[in-house]
């Protein structure tokens, strides 16, 4: 454990250091004490009175010598605040890959073990709760064997949409004609209905007055999708205010109006700190912490101010001679120390990195358990004998041979899609190609990853707000000349529906896909669930176009789906981490793509510690699982497999990205 003592080096500072050393010795904890005497460094921690003490980037004491009892408490296993004092609703949100599902499931299990009735709800279309718990998920509560009091529910978008359609149709009564029912069903067949139906299910849980459950824990989709979900109560209640007719994409207005009371109850529940806590999950990583900070601000703007921060996967090297382990620890410490002030002010929980995958009840129970978890120390000779996998430079060479086309980088949130997409785009430019690098991810991290401009590389993003306004302007300009003032007002009102965003984003996606005819387009996609919704919209558009042109030039119609299915035009790159959950989720994504007749081109195994080399006991224990996943990928899943080792220097900026894709003969065309 690293502890920083801030001060001038006076007698009080020396006394503080002595107390820390004695308390650490009594607790059997090894500490490394760093003295910080520079005034500017001290002020950077927000400290105005010394001596002060910083542990893992967090100021735990300031202004005077701490008592022995206070220091002793620093070395006791920390409790976890979000389960020590839980509200009825717990939302776990954050950047993909930070451990939302693991922490939310462990929290729900802990509460159930304490005798509470807990419902764990997944709002992620790409959830892997079934694999973690070994049960089949449904859109109704499923009891978890071996965990009395715990049930799990997954909001299934398709089933929710059908249920929503049936409720709307039922309202029309027996007097409705078959043609009227058919028309309404057609109106309720789009992706927008799927979204509002999922939200309807979500709202019913928040607004449930029956108090069936002591606690409802929400395992949410990655940040961008979750912010969209949490903003929907306000969006729909605002849209309904003063609207006495129906939104065309949702059928009769009563289909929404009947739920207006529920929507408002959901909004009230979200904003009530006595009922709802938002747990911002992050890792000791600069990008994840930055996104947690942005999310915190946006959630406050939505009225969700009751937040706490959970830092997952905090690692301490047990062997300071291991360069890889020390680099991992140091990067984490630096990221925590640079944490924005608005996050520092939040109540915090720190969860250590564990030497096991969080699959199965024993592992999930151990995740939040205090104290150390035994680590298997033995290393195998197989580590050193494993044949190295080709790197990103080889993949960039393969892709460049096509001359042009669409490259879509897909996978679970947090696996490194943005890094891989940016590196491949830079690699193609290095090889003399013109590249358009874009993203469909609402969280949009491209600019922060590139940190600069490169000749031959165009960078953009599909901004939902920008694209929605562009679409509204286009429709109004096309239809307004044929409408009077009242009709124009009604059209604009209809276009203000939150559903319009879905259509607008799809149109922008289609434009970018078509650019691959003459140049390279590298598309950094949103996390799996959000991307599959976009793919669903692509399929729906294809079916609509083929119906409309059937017998009238259908052979000349080329839809975005047809371009995605063309292996010569589109190369799908699946990115994963060497862990069971990301690999399983990428495998499920591959199955979904294959059902749409889209064959992935290659897999990239990111952050391979095996490839980096380490002898740290905890990391060695995790290598057993990593090797298992590599064997799984090579044997059954990946036609082509490439690897990117865990890097001591984060691959941020054009210089570092270029190193990942540069061959020995490549020109050094990007300055570090």
């Amino acid at each position: 454990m690293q502890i920083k003592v801030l001060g001038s080096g006076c007698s009080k500072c020396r006394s503080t250091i002595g107390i820390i050393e004695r308390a650490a010795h009594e607790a059997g904890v090894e500490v490394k004490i760093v003295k910080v005497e520079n005034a500017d460094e001290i002020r950077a921690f927000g400290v105005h009175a010394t001596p002060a003490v910083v542990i893992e980037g967090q100021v735990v004491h300031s202004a005077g010598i701490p008592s022995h009892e206070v220091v002793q408490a620093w070395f006791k296993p920390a409790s976890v605040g979000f389960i020590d004092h839980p509200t009825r609703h717990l939302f776990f949100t954050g950047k993909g890959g930070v451990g939302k599902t693991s922490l939310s499931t462990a929290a729900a299990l802990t509460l159930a073990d304490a005798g509470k009735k807990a419902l764990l709800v997944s709002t992620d279309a790409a959830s892997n709760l079934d694999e973690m718990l070994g049960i089949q998920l449904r859109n109704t509560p499923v009891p978890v064997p071996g965990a009395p009091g715990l049930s799990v529910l997954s909001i299934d978008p398709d089933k929710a949409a059908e249920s929503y359609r049936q409720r709307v149709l039922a309202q029309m009564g027996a007097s409705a004609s078959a043609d009227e029912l058919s028309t309404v069903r057609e109106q309720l067949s789009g992706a927008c209905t799927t979204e509002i139906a999922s939200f309807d299910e979500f709202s019913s849980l928040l607004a449930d007055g029956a108090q069936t459950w002591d606690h409802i824990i929400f395992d949410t989709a990655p940040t961008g999708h979750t912010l969209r979900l949490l903003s929907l109560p306000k969006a729909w209640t605002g849209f309904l205010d003063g609207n006495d007719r129906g939104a065309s994409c949702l059928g009769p207005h009563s289909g929404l109006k009947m739920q207006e009371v529920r929507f408002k109850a959901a909004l009230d529940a979200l904003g009530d700190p006595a009922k709802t806590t938002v747990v911002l999950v992050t890792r000791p990583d600069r990008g994840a912490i930055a996104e947690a900070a942005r999310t915190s601000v946006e959630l406050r703007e939505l009225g969700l101010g009751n937040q706490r921060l959970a830092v997952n996967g905090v690692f301490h090297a047990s062997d300071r001679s291991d360069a890889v382990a020390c680099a991992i620890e140091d990067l984490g410490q630096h990221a925590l120390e640079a944490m924005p002030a608005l996050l520092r002010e939040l109540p915090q929980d720190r969860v250590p990195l564990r030497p096991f995958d969080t699959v199965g009840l024993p592992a999930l129970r151990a995740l939040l358990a205090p104290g150390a978890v035994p680590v298997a120390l033995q290393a195998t000779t197989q580590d050193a004998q494993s044949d190295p996998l080709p790197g990103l430079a080889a993949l960039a060479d393969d892709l460049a041979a096509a001359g042009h086309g669409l490259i879509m980088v897909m996978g679970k949130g947090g696996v490194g899609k943005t890094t891989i997409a940016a590196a491949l785009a830079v690699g193609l430019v290095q090889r003399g190609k013109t590249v358009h690098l874009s993203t469909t991810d609402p969280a949009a991290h491209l600019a922060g990853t590139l940190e600069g401009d490169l000749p031959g590389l165009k960078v953009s993003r599909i901004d939902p707000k920008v694209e929605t306004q562009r679409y509204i302007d286009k429709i109004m300009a096309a239809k307004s000349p044929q409408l009077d003032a009242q009709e124009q007002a009604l059209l604009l009102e209809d276009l203000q529906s939150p559903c319009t965003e879905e259509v607008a984003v799809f149109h922008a996606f289609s434009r970018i896909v078509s650019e691959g005819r003459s140049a390279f387009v590298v598309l950094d996609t949103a996390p799996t669930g959000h991307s599959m919704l976009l793919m669903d919209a692509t399929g729906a558009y294809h079916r609509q176009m083929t119906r409309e042109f059937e017998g009238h030039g259908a052979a000349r119609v080329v839809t975005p789906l047809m371009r995605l299915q063309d292996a010569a035009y589109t190369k799908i790159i699946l990115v994963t981490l060497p862990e069971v959950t990301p690999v399983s989720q990428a495998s499920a994504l591959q199955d979904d793509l294959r059902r749409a007749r889209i064959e992935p081109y290659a897999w990239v195994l990111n952050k391979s510690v095996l490839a980096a080399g380490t002898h740290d006991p905890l990391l060695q224990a995790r290598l057993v699982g990593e090797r298992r996943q590599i064997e799984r990928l090579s044997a059954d899943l990946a036609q082509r497999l490439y690897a990117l080792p865990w890097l001591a220097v984060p691959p941020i900026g054009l210089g570092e990205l270029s190193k990942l894709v540069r061959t020995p003969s490549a020109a050094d065309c990007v300055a570090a």
Side-chain angles (χ1 to χ4, degrees):
M1 178 185 292
Q2 186 186 82
I3 299 178
K4 293 186 176 183
V5 178
L6 317 183
S8 62
C10 64
S11 59
K12 291 183 178 180
C13 296
R14 293 193 295 273
S15 296
T16 298
I17 291 172
I19 294 171
I20 293 172
E21 290 175 337
R22 288 194 297 276
H25 179 74
E26 292 167 2
V29 176
E30 184 178 348
V31 296
K32 177 185 178 183
I33 296 177
V34 178
K35 301 175 185 177
V36 179
E37 299 179 359
N38 181 277
D40 291 336
E41 290 184 45
I42 293 173
R43 281 194 292 270
F45 284 101
V47 171
H48 302 288
T50 59
V53 180
V54 176
I55 300 177
E56 295 178 354
Q58 188 175 6
V59 178
V60 297
H61 175 81
S62 63
I65 302 172
S67 69
H68 188 75
E69 291 73 22
V70 167
V71 176
Q72 281 181 317
W74 299 342
F75 302 111
K76 293 179 181 178
S79 61
V80 181
F82 56 76
I83 56 176
D84 286 347
H85 307 287
T87 52
R88 184 167 185 261
H89 305 133
L90 291 172
F91 276 91
F92 288 78
T93 188
K95 180 179 168 64
V98 295
K100 297 185 298 296
T101 300
S102 296
L103 291 187
S104 60
T105 306
L109 184 59
T110 302
L111 291 170
D113 288 345
K116 303 293 185 180
K117 291 190 67 178
L119 177 65
L120 177 62
V121 180
S122 173
T123 68
D124 189 351
S127 173
N128 66 305
L129 274 174
D130 52 349
E131 182 176 28
M132 294 179 65
L133 294 171
I135 60 174
Q136 186 173 355
L137 300 179
R138 295 196 295 270
N139 63 336
T140 56
V142 178
V144 178
L150 176 61
S151 295
V152 181
L153 180 154
S154 178
I155 296 179
D156 185 303
D158 294 331
K159 291 181 179 178
E162 180 58 27
S163 176
Y164 182 81
R165 280 190 288 270
Q166 292 301 328
R167 291 201 303 275
V168 174
L169 292 169
Q171 289 184 87
M172 298 180 66
S175 61
S177 69
D179 286 345
E180 289 173 334
L181 291 171
S182 177
T183 299
V184 172
R185 175 170 281 280
E186 181 66 24
Q187 290 176 332
L188 293 170
S189 63
C192 177
T193 300
T194 301
E195 181 179 62
I196 191 63
S198 297
F199 163 67
D200 187 50
E201 297 280 334
F202 165 78
S203 297
S204 69
L205 293 167
L206 285 171
D208 178 22
Q211 303 291 310
T212 307
W213 310 96
D214 296 314
H215 300 284
I216 303 177
I217 300 93
F218 292 88
D219 169 35
T220 70
T223 307
H225 195 264
T226 296
L227 287 170
R228 166 80 172 161
L229 178 69
L230 295 179
S231 67
L232 280 173
K234 185 172 290 186
W236 282 113
T237 51
F239 180 66
L240 292 172
D241 287 342
N243 188 336
D244 59 0
R245 50 183 213 93
S248 62
C249 59
L250 294 171
H253 176 66
S254 56
L256 283 175
K257 202 70 178 178
M258 68 180 180
Q259 308 297 346
E260 187 173 7
V261 173
R262 178 186 288 175
F263 293 171
K264 290 181 176 178
L267 191 61
D268 292 340
L270 284 171
D272 187 348
K275 294 180 179 178
T276 300
T277 302
V278 178
V279 182
L280 299 168
V281 184
T282 186
R283 286 189 178 271
D285 171 82
R286 188 179 77 167
I289 290 173
E291 181 154 330
R294 289 192 296 271
T295 304
S296 177
V297 172
E298 293 192 47
L299 290 173
R300 289 181 189 276
E301 292 173 351
L302 293 172
L304 280 75
N306 189 23
Q307 304 172 7
R308 55 183 310 120
L309 185 70
V311 184
N312 187 33
V314 178
F315 173 72
H316 297 289
S318 59
D319 184 352
R320 297 303 299 179
S321 68
D322 189 323
V324 173
C326 290
I328 293 174
E329 178 181 354
D330 293 346
L331 284 173
Q333 292 291 335
H334 295 157
L336 292 171
E337 291 171 2
M339 182 182 295
L342 65 92
L343 291 184
R344 287 183 185 276
E345 295 169 358
L346 297 177
Q348 280 189 37
D349 300 300
R350 305 258 173 126
V351 180
L353 181 69
R354 300 300 193 183
F356 49 78
D357 286 324
T358 51
V359 176
L361 293 184
L364 289 164
R365 285 189 166 105
L367 180 60
L368 298 179
V373 177
V375 176
L377 301 181
Q378 67 273 16
T380 69
T381 57
Q382 191 176 353
D383 295 348
Q385 297 173 352
S386 298
D387 293 329
L389 295 171
L392 290 190
L395 177 55
D397 286 338
D398 293 345
L399 295 172
H404 65 91
L406 172 67
I407 298 164
M408 289 184 66
V409 183
M410 305 183 72
K412 175 181 165 66
V415 296
K417 296 185 300 296
T418 301
T419 297
I420 302 301
L424 291 175
V426 170
L428 290 170
V429 172
Q430 288 180 346
R431 290 156 178 78
K433 309 301 180 181
T434 300
V435 182
H436 180 184
L437 173 63
S438 189
T439 180
T440 66
D441 191 346
H445 303 293
L446 279 179
T449 301
L450 290 167
E451 291 189 340
D453 299 321
L454 178 65
L457 178 63
K458 174 187 175 183
V459 181
S460 71
R461 62 170 294 203
I462 298 177
D463 186 323
K465 291 182 180 178
V466 172
E467 298 301 336
T468 300
Q469 189 58 52
R470 181 182 295 166
Y471 180 79
I472 291 173
D473 293 343
K474 178 182 177 181
I475 297 299
M476 292 299 297
K479 294 188 176 183
S480 289
Q482 294 82 40
L483 305 175
D484 60 28
Q486 184 178 6
E487 290 170 333
Q488 289 178 18
L490 290 174
L491 175 60
L492 181 60
E493 183 182 38
D494 227 15
L495 290 170
Q496 299 299 328
S497 159
C499 291
T500 301
E501 181 180 304
E502 186 92 32
V503 179
V505 168
F506 169 71
H507 278 266
F509 170 73
S510 300
R511 288 196 305 271
I512 288 178
V513 168
S514 68
E515 292 183 24
R517 292 176 294 175
S518 58
F520 275 107
V521 175
V522 179
L523 198 57
D524 168 36
T525 68
T528 304
H530 198 272
S531 291
M532 290 314 298
L533 290 175
L534 183 59
M535 298 296 282
D536 288 343
T538 305
Y541 177 78
H542 173 78
R543 291 188 294 274
Q544 178 186 341
M545 288 295 99
T546 51
R547 281 197 306 268
E548 289 185 8
F549 287 91
E550 188 175 2
H552 305 283
R556 296 192 298 273
V557 174
V558 180
T559 65
L561 179 62
M562 295 165 69
R563 297 196 188 281
L564 297 181
Q565 293 171 336
D566 183 354
Y569 189 95
T570 299
K571 303 287 192 301
I572 303 290
I573 311 298
L574 296 180
V575 183
T576 186
L577 298 176
E579 301 169 13
V580 61
T581 295
V583 171
S584 294
Q585 195 155 7
S587 175
L589 172 58
Q590 179 165 260
D591 290 341
D592 287 338
L593 292 169
R594 284 173 172 170
R595 280 191 287 272
R597 294 190 292 129
I598 301 171
E599 183 63 33
Y601 178 78
W603 287 57
V604 174
L605 186 72
N606 192 25
K607 296 185 178 180
S608 170
V609 178
L610 185 63
T614 180
H615 54 264
D616 180 272
L618 190 149
L619 297 181
Q620 280 285 325
R622 293 184 65 86
L623 289 185
V624 176
E626 178 171 336
R627 189 178 302 106
R628 200 178 298 127
Q629 297 311 311
I630 292 175
E631 292 171 353
R632 179 183 174 191
L633 287 166
S634 301
D636 303 317
L637 297 175
Q639 293 186 23
R640 302 171 184 84
L641 181 59
Y642 303 84
L644 181 63
W646 190 93
L647 301 168
V649 178
I652 297 174
L654 292 170
E656 294 302 323
L657 291 169
S658 71
K659 295 176 184 177
L660 306 182
V661 289
R662 182 181 293 127
T663 59
S665 60
D668 188 12
C669 63
V670 181

